[in-house]
């Protein structure tokens, strides 16, 4: 479910639709929620960054 980024880090892989491979397309919930990466844990649902992503 991960891949190397252009900067040498490890990131969640995106599918052709541009969304994370771990996202359940039917429920729009994370399918690995209990084991999600730290960056996802730091990302506050409904926060400014979240709302900007949703708007985009
Ligand atoms: S919480 Fe993280 S791992 Fe889960 S679907 Fe969203 S981006 Fe992917």
């Amino acid at each position: 479910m991960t891949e190397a980024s252009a900067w040498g880090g490890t990131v969640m892989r995106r599918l052709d639709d541009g969304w994370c491979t771990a996202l359940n397309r039917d429920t729009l919930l994370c399918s690995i929620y209990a084991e999600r990466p730290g960056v996802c844990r730091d990302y506050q649902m409904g926060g400014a960054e979240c709302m900007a992503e949703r708007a985009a």
Side-chain angles (χ1 to χ4, degrees):
M1 289 187 162
T2 61
E3 63 186 5
S5 73
W7 302 275
T10 302
V11 296
M12 294 301 295
R13 188 164 63 89
R14 291 176 184 254
L15 300 186
D16 290 343
D17 59 16
W19 289 354
C20 174
T21 189
L23 181 70
N24 181 312
R25 270 61 178 170
D26 295 325
T27 64
L28 296 182
L29 297 174
C30 178
S31 64
I32 58 166
Y33 189 76
E35 283 84 35
R36 68 196 185 284
V39 66
C40 300
R41 296 169 189 269
D42 294 340
Y43 200 83
Q44 184 180 4
M45 185 165 58
E49 295 89 352
C50 176
M51 298 311 286
E53 283 294 321
R54 289 174 181 239

